[in-house]
Amino acid sequence: MEGGIYYYYCKLSAPGAEPVCTNVSTVTVKVQQSRKAPPVPVLVSITPDSITLKDDQNLEYSLDGKKWRGPVFSGLTPDTTYTVYARYVGYFNYEPSLASEPLVVKTPKLYKDKGEQEAPKLELLGKTGRSVALKPIEGAEYSKDLKTWQDSNTFYNLSVSTEYTFYARMKETDDLKRSPESSPLTILTNESGGFPFVPGNGTDGVIRTEGGWAYIKTHDDVAFEPSYSTGVVGLNRYIYLPFYFEHLGDNKYYIYHANGGYLSYQGTLKKDAEIIISEKPCVWQVYAQNAGGYIEYNICVASDTHYFIKTLSSGVKLAYNNSKSFQRDGAQFKIDTWGVVSDIPQWWKEYKEGKTEPTYDVELTTTYESSQRKKQSGGQGASEGTSSGPKPSGGTLEKSDPVTPPISVPVTANPSQTRFVMNGQPVSVTEAYIINDTNYLQIRAIASMLNGTAAQFDIGWDGQYAVIEPGKPFSGTVTEAKLQSTTNVQKSGTKFKMDGEVFTFFDARLIDGATNYIQLREFAQKLSGTVSQFNVYWDNDARQAVIQPGVTYTGYPPVIETSDDTDTSSEEVKAEIYCIKASKNENFVIEVADASTEDGVKLKLGTKTGDDNQKFKFIKVEKDVYVIQCVHSGKLWTSGGKKGAVLTQSLSASDANSYAFRVIKQADGTYRIMDNTGLYAGVSDAKVENRTNIILGTEASDESQVFILERIP
């Protein structure tokens, strides 16, 4: 029946008599409405005999789709897989909803049935006056009193100049017992601290990064990056991590590297001292200048600002100049925050969560005075010997002469003149702006440009989110805009949704209206690993942006193979195909297990057969840094960055640095292969036999980490 009011009565009749009607009974019919299924149930906790789900009065739960209750299921069997459904409860004129997609969980084993774990080794990652970050250990928890334990490897709200003792232990898992506690690690916090700050890389001095993280780059986008082995800072166009700026007041900073250690200089304070990453801090004075559309920076030694960082043909070193004016010719740098969020270490993300920071805008200046304090004989930041410079807090330094007050210059978006190329052909990008040498494209324009390629996707609006659908052809139209120079530029807060995940882009802009413009690199990074992935990089020689549909995002170009030159006496590996033989027994080579083409498959030793899963292409990135491609699958060697981890093949790593390996030639002509964290590829337990894993380890003196590269014609 349809919903509404119905009237019921009885009519009595007989021959020769008028009909008689009873009184009327009124009935109201309410039609119950059905609803869509709720999201997948949210697991709160699980024990060997119980499952606890998120308590929501609007939901009920079931293990079989028939009997509904919850949110707690008890009396379950340990080490057993269960499928849990949710649905909205029925009430008034609503039927219970359809069941959700299932949540599949497995109850853990009983404690007595679990294996043992060894105590982890605890090491310091970084510290400030109010925080200590320990090197993260996968699966561990941390404490500073052996009473309260936390998942985060970072402790904050500490006191300055105070000793704290820390511990770690491996958490209980479904199959393993909790480990004993580690040996204690005692850390003395710095004399100063506080939330960090990084100078903004826009023309208005606005902070443009989460926390104090940024890349330090030259004007042609070559970044500071320390050597894996020596810690000496060099320049790298492709592989780098951000630095962390801790504001000490008066434009003075500690500058940390993401892998730990301070930006400092080698030995005593003198001209041509190498810039290094050191355990000892250096206080830097940062000066900024508006360069007609962007900000550039000088990074000077705070104890004597006549000394400043400069890039020279011989490397990144200290330079000296008596002049009060802003230093150039290799001394002015970008402090670049674009894309830095993807490289911020996990320990910082955990430390920063839920906190706010004060705003310190670095002052802009055209001239500056050096400190009036007498130069220290030993300087700061030496990695050898002792330092006789000021204490790390910088509190003993006399204040520099005042600089001019901050200026504010509006951000200007200009129509982009950048040339884009895809599959060797120019492509038309109809809606694109450029801000501070960075392209921002309308997301519909990106969809239109990639439509019909391996990277095509659709974009639409569902009333709440801008929905990205990878793999689908673009069904909309590009929002037409009259491109003209404008200062009407705002940060976009639009929420996007893709594959069920809701997110915002880190550097999306609303330009001259309410239309979203997004950095192409950030968009490529977000789609990496989906069916619509693509790579984009800058071809500096041709002065054009190159787009590669269908490949994972790396941000750097592929390297073309060398010619048919058969000379194998070169001092470096050529960008060609090689077989990698174990030096202990040349009949065994590295191979991809079972010739699989799937992501995450392990590299192992196998008897040499000459099959394609035993062939690898070495693609040079810079100097002795390569990405190593598996010939049979097209996927890349991938490092987990942890001691004991097995090397795998993949194209879906979240960090492009995972693909980078140094190929180091030894005196006898063999090679060592080192990942980006300084760990070496080697044969597990030195067992030269079939199906032995290729794992990461610290440098070993035996031949388990030494290989022979045999070029395949």
Side-chain angles (χ1 to χ4, degrees), residues 2-14:
E2 294 184 358
I5 299 175
Y6 292 82
Y7 303 94
Y8 292 88
Y9 61 93
C10 182
K11 180 187 290 186
L12 304 178
S13 61

Side-chain angles (χ1 to χ4, degrees), residues 189-330:
T189 56
N190 294 343
E191 293 185 356
S192 68
F195 288 108
F197 158 71
V198 61
N201 65 326
T203 58
D204 54 5
V206 175
I207 297 174
R208 302 191 189 286
T209 183
E210 296 183 17
W213 294 98
Y215 306 114
I216 305 175
K217 294 183 177 180
T218 63
H219 274 202
D220 58 348
D221 289 319
V222 181
F224 281 22
E225 179 63 6
S227 162
Y228 294 107
S229 55
T230 65
V232 174
V233 173
L235 298 175
N236 195 320
R237 187 177 296 278
Y238 306 113
I239 303 171
Y240 45 86
L241 288 173
F243 290 84
Y244 162 73
F245 288 67
E246 181 183 342
H247 192 250
L248 306 175
D250 192 29
N251 284 358
K252 296 182 176 70
Y253 300 86
Y254 288 145
I255 305 176
Y256 304 80
H257 190 253
N259 281 341
Y262 297 88
L263 185 71
S264 189
Y265 55 85
Q266 184 84 39
T268 58
L269 183 60
K270 64 180 181 179
K271 181 182 177 182
D272 292 332
E274 287 188 311
I275 303 302
I276 62 170
I277 300 300
S278 170
E279 294 181 357
K280 296 186 178 182
C282 173
V283 180
W284 298 97
Q285 188 94 15
V286 179
Y287 296 97
Q289 177 173 280
N290 187 309
Y294 59 91
I295 301 295
E296 57 187 15
Y297 298 90
N298 278 178
I299 303 175
C300 307
V301 179
S303 60
D304 186 343
T305 53
H306 289 121
Y307 289 93
F308 53 90
I309 297 178
K310 184 173 182 178
T311 57
L312 306 167
S313 59
S314 55
V316 182
K317 297 185 178 182
L318 283 183
Y320 181 87
N321 195 311
N322 251 336
S323 171
K324 297 179 181 179
S325 43
F326 197 87
Q327 303 299 330
R328 298 184 179 278
D329 298 327

